[in-house]
Amino acid sequence: MQPTALIGDVHGDAARLRAALSEVPTDRRIILLGDYVDRGPDSRHVLDSLVEAKARLRERLVLLRGNHEVTLLEFLDGAAPQALVRHGGLPTVRSYVSEPEPRVFEQFRRDFPAAHRALLDSTVLFVDEPGLFASHAGWDPAEPSGRSVAQMTLGGGRAMFDPETARPPRGLAVFGHYTQASRLPYMTTSVICLDTGCGTAPDAPLTLLLLPERVHRQL
């Protein structure tokens, strides 16, 4: 397995994202598992940091698409704002709009930075290679070969955590999406979930995992 660092759900916590990126050894590929925006207060600076990191790291940095990026892209393409609001998007809007106009959602859509839109468009749904499968939300145990947007960003539910049904597409599946109440990553020999509540719960950590060592650090 290629030496890899994986980073869990960020949800608008720019400070923890920058700290995690600074902890990654320089020889590592970096995979971020999606859900960069919403809930937390600083989505704009999260995307600023990712634009800068992508320009600097290029192919070393792989950005996966989460369901929150799907919702944001749908809104930017003209969808009504209800889904954005329901997914915790109001803090995202506030991070971009310092002086709101009466039609604030139209203002947000109109003024959304082109570089941020290009970054979101460049995100991918999964990494599937010998020894590792990574996506935002895991896989669908009912259809392990499925790679649809819904399957990769919304996942297969709690069946992925059931030892009787957790048979990932590769020997190891790493994903986020499912917030761990313990604030610790869920780790078995074949399944790792890195969503430990960053940006979602007050002071919850962002988790960084190093492979193949299976060593994690929380920031």
Side-chain angles (χ1 to χ4, degrees), residues 22-81:
S22 72
E23 291 288 327
V24 177
T26 57
D27 65 337
R28 298 287 169 132
R29 171 182 58 170
I30 305 169
I31 301 174
L32 273 80
L33 294 174
D35 278 6
Y36 313 115
V37 300
D38 298 342
R39 298 180 181 167
D42 213 2
S43 291
R44 178 168 192 153
H45 286 131
V46 165
L47 294 188
D48 278 338
S49 295
L50 292 178
V51 167
E52 185 278 330
K54 187 64 176 174
R56 176 169 47 88
L57 299 171
R58 299 183 182 275
E59 291 78 13
R60 275 187 59 211
L61 179 63
V62 179
L63 300 175
L64 299 183
R65 183 173 301 186
N67 58 301
H68 287 258
E69 286 74 57
V70 171
T71 300
L72 177 54
L73 284 167
E74 289 174 346
F75 168 78
L76 294 173
D77 284 338

Side-chain angles (χ1 to χ4, degrees), residues 96-129:
Y96 281 88
V97 179
S98 57
E99 297 182 8
E101 299 173 0
R103 297 179 179 271
V104 66
F105 290 108
E106 293 180 12
Q107 177 188 6
F108 172 55
R109 183 186 284 128
R110 181 193 70 217
D111 295 341
F112 194 79
H116 291 188
R117 174 61 197 255
L119 182 85
L120 294 175
D121 285 335
S122 74
T123 55
V124 298
L125 289 176
F126 59 88
V127 171
D128 188 356
E129 62 190 33

Side-chain angles (χ1 to χ4, degrees), residues 98-203:
S98 57
E99 297 182 8
E101 299 173 0
R103 297 179 179 271
V104 66
F105 290 108
E106 293 180 12
Q107 177 188 6
F108 172 55
R109 183 186 284 128
R110 181 193 70 217
D111 295 341
F112 194 79
H116 291 188
R117 174 61 197 255
L119 182 85
L120 294 175
D121 285 335
S122 74
T123 55
V124 298
L125 289 176
F126 59 88
V127 171
D128 188 356
E129 62 190 33
L132 176 65
F133 182 83
S135 72
H136 172 64
W139 77 100
D140 182 357
E143 189 184 352
S145 62
R147 299 292 184 269
S148 71
V149 173
Q151 288 168 320
M152 297 296 94
T153 64
L154 297 174
R158 293 295 169 182
M160 294 186 301
F161 296 87
D162 183 344
E164 296 299 319
T165 57
R167 297 180 180 88
R170 296 290 185 173
L172 175 64
V174 184
F175 51 89
H177 188 64
Y178 296 92
T179 305
Q180 300 301 299
S182 67
R183 304 293 176 254
L184 294 170
Y186 174 87
M187 301 181 70
T188 70
T189 56
S190 59
V191 173
I192 297 177
C193 179
L194 294 181
D195 184 355
T196 50
C198 179
T200 296
D203 297 321

